[in-house]
Amino acid sequence: MSETRIPYTKLEQTFEQILIKSGFSAERAQACAALFAQASLDGVASHGLNRFPTFMKMIREGYIKPDVVPVLEGDYGVLERWHGMAGPGPLNAQHCMDRAIAMAKEKGIGCVALSHTNHWMRAGNYGWQAVDAGCIGICFTNTIPNMPAWGGSEPVLGNNPLVIAIPRENGPIVLDMAMSQFSYGKMSAYLRNKAQLPYEGGFDQSGKLSKDPATILEKEMALPIGLWKGAGLSLLLDILAAVLSNGNATHHLGATKVDHAMSQVFLCFYLPKLGISEYPEAQLDAIIDNLKSAAVFGDNEVRYPGENILKIRAENLQKGVPVDEKIWEKVLEFLVN
């Protein structure tokens, strides 16, 4: 892979221009462009720049409707149910996390279930959205079948990303993970670089564990995190998303093999409304200090989820955002084609 750096503002403005050309209003184009650019800025290009061509393909094939907004289907106190109307997944997700934040600020807890939406791209964006608003945020989504059940020989589960985000002055704690050992975006990046995975990430055609991304991607046989435990968690997240949103489950999404008409859940807690008037910064610091004081093997370092994001963000703002030159060229083609 040949990599270069470009200024963050150029990255965001390029996305914005393409989206306006593709039918987005100026305001919605700016918001959607910022979500894609933010992912790459934070070092998650696999779900930022690298996913933008796929996003454009879905628009051109009619799966994503740029000009529609989600519709409220029901308000049940601490739960709202929204229909995504096949609108842009990142904007639908941002809207629903905004609603969960607003409900939490009013009632202490807010939950939003969303049906018939599209791929939300970088899941962590919405965890950071919650912590930036001073809320604990949890969100998850189902996906197309792209992971086997434990012991299975074909993909029937989604990798169903899960985010848990906790505000903290000395650095928010933001867990952003798929149910597969490696996300498909990350495995695709290893494949482009003609590199093997550092750990076994899936199964070959005979059911043996493999580090070869091409072999794993061919049949979508990703390894569940925690083996049978990750497979079970994936199943339960799918059930919760489908039931709470009254939307599609993973097996419904398999018909098109496109992350379209998905189901998602956004949950927020605002501690001042839950009888906790003083935010527990000291307790969080003590937990993290204890974690980082653990003995390690060799030169390893113990890190908490999201620890390096602010450092990566600051470095990329200063030096420019790293981009794969071939993918960047492909994105620039959308300005003229």
Side-chain angles (χ1 to χ4, degrees):
M1 179 183 73
S2 179
E3 192 174 83
T4 189
R5 288 181 180 266
I6 61 173
Y8 173 77
T9 53
K10 181 178 180 180
L11 181 66
E12 183 176 11
Q13 288 168 3
T14 301
F15 289 151
E16 184 177 347
Q17 291 169 11
I18 294 168
L19 293 173
I20 290 174
K21 184 174 179 286
S22 302
F24 285 70
S25 68
E27 181 181 2
R28 285 167 61 78
Q30 193 282 324
C32 193
L35 289 167
F36 274 99
Q38 185 72 51
S40 284
L41 177 69
D42 288 354
V44 195
S46 62
H47 290 70
L49 171 73
N50 297 5
R51 282 292 179 96
F52 193 78
T54 301
F55 186 73
M56 289 300 301
K57 184 174 184 286
M58 291 182 69
I59 292 173
R60 294 183 174 187
E61 292 179 350
Y63 290 109
I64 296 174
K65 303 184 184 304
D67 57 342
V68 303
V69 297
V71 173
L72 180 64
E73 291 190 315
D75 181 348
Y76 308 99
V78 295
L79 170 69
E80 289 182 355
R81 185 174 293 119
W82 289 76
H83 192 296
M85 305 298 290
L91 293 183
N92 282 351
Q94 185 181 62
H95 169 83
C96 287
M97 184 56 86
D98 269 340
R99 286 300 311 142
I101 290 167
M103 294 163 66
K105 290 288 182 74
E106 179 184 355
K107 303 167 185 175
I109 299 174
C111 183
V112 175
L114 173 67
S115 69
H116 295 88
T117 190
N118 289 296
H119 197 304
W120 61 9
M121 301 302 152
R122 180 202 179 193
N125 280 341
Y126 317 108
W128 284 93
Q129 182 181 346
V131 297
D132 286 345
C135 290
I136 294 171
I138 301 172
C139 56
F140 52 91
T141 180
N142 58 17
T143 72
I144 59 171
N146 54 14
M147 191 175 73
W150 187 250
S153 61
E154 62 177 334
V156 294
L157 300 174
N159 69 1
N160 300 348
L162 169 67
V163 175
I164 303 175
I166 300 174
R168 176 171 168 262
E169 285 186 7
N170 291 324
I173 306 163
V174 182
L175 176 70
D176 174 7
M177 68 178 194
M179 291 299 108
S180 54
Q181 184 64 40
F182 294 91
S183 73
Y184 276 91
K186 182 64 72 174
M187 284 193 283
S188 295
Y190 276 100
L191 180 62
R192 282 194 303 275
N193 293 335
K194 299 179 180 179
Q196 295 284 288
L197 302 174
Y199 306 99
E200 284 81 4
F203 303 94
D204 64 18
Q205 294 183 9
S206 64
K208 294 181 180 178
L209 286 171
S210 174
K211 295 181 180 180
D212 180 20
T215 299
I216 299 164
L217 290 167
E218 181 182 3
K219 298 292 185 181
E220 295 188 319
M221 289 291 286
L223 175 67
I225 60 168
L227 310 178
W228 50 87
K229 296 180 182 180
L233 180 55
S234 172
L235 176 65
L236 269 294
L237 290 176
D238 179 37
I239 291 172
L240 286 172
V243 169
L244 289 175
S245 70
N246 195 28
N248 290 323
T250 286
H251 72 275
H252 295 124
L253 306 179
T256 61
K257 294 190 176 297
V258 176
D259 284 318
H260 167 71
M262 306 159 76
S263 303
Q264 298 172 350
V265 175
F266 304 82
L267 182 64
C268 275
F269 299 88
Y270 186 58
L271 297 188
K273 285 286 186 176
L274 294 173
I276 303 174
S277 57
E278 185 174 345
Y279 194 79
E281 291 286 351
Q283 184 179 23
L284 292 177
D285 288 346
I287 293 170
I288 296 302
D289 289 345
N290 179 71
L291 176 77
K292 294 183 71 63
S293 68
V296 299
F297 293 107
D299 296 329
N300 290 333
E301 178 187 3
V302 174
R303 295 181 297 174
Y304 62 84
E307 179 174 352
N308 282 347
I309 293 295
L310 294 179
K311 179 182 177 181
I312 293 170
R313 186 182 298 176
E315 179 180 333
N316 289 342
L317 280 172
Q318 180 184 10
K319 297 181 180 180
V321 180
V323 300
D324 182 312
E325 289 184 348
K326 289 186 177 180
I327 297 177
W328 179 237
E329 289 172 2
K330 186 181 296 186
V331 168
L332 293 177
E333 290 176 2
F334 290 114
L335 288 171
V336 295
N337 297 324

